[in-house]
Amino acid sequence: MASEIIAIASDHAGFELKETLKADLEALGFSVLDLGADGLDSVDYPDFANALSAAMREGKAGRGVLVCGTGIGISIAANRHRNIRAALCHDSVSARLARQHNDANVLALGARLIGTEVAKDCLKVFLETPFDGGRHLRRVEKLA
Ligand code: RB5
């Protein structure tokens, strides 16, 4: 059976954490669609949020991970796309609730604000936690 595809993208500030999380995803058995950035040269985070959102809209990946310095810019950019519910998370509690209550399909992280181990924990919890549905479904539907 083909493994699930997770899209991942960052700007220069998130590049190193993106590389770490990409290796984690592969170790967990996911296929990774890496949409850049490709290094530490300065780039613009909306370009990468837009690329990831387009890839998900086109069905190339079911879920995504975005990283910039704070996670703020790249999550704002992603949430301008109708198909995206990006959640900026700083710990495993926010990652869990983003899945349970918001059915978030993109995890956004701030590489300059959280440590590597916290980011890895957020990713693991985000991937493992199902949507609770119920009263939360009505609310999520209203987002659309
Ligand atoms: C880049 O310097 C930085 O502004 C960006 O990574 C991000 O933090 C924006 O929200």
Side-chain angles (χ1 to χ4, degrees), residues 28-96:
L28 289 167
F30 292 98
S31 296
V32 180
L33 176 62
D34 185 350
L35 297 162
D38 298 323
L40 297 171
D41 291 345
S42 184
V43 292
D44 300 334
Y45 57 80
D47 296 338
F48 296 89
N50 292 344
L52 182 135
S53 303
M56 288 180 59
R57 188 171 55 246
E58 291 161 10
K60 294 176 181 166
R63 295 187 277 180
V65 180
L66 288 171
V67 192
C68 71
T70 60
I72 296 171
I74 209 159
S75 59
I76 291 172
N79 278 319
R80 297 178 72 87
H81 295 266
R82 291 182 66 85
N83 60 312
I84 300 298
R85 290 180 304 281
L88 174 55
C89 297
H90 295 102
D91 50 44
S92 59
V93 177
S94 46
R96 177 170 54 78

Side-chain angles (χ1 to χ4, degrees), residues 4-24:
E4 181 186 346
I5 300 170
I6 307 286
I8 192 165
S10 73
D11 69 356
H12 54 289
F15 171 72
E16 288 175 330
L17 181 56
K18 171 176 72 71
E19 294 300 299
T20 298
L21 297 179
K22 184 176 161 183
D24 266 31

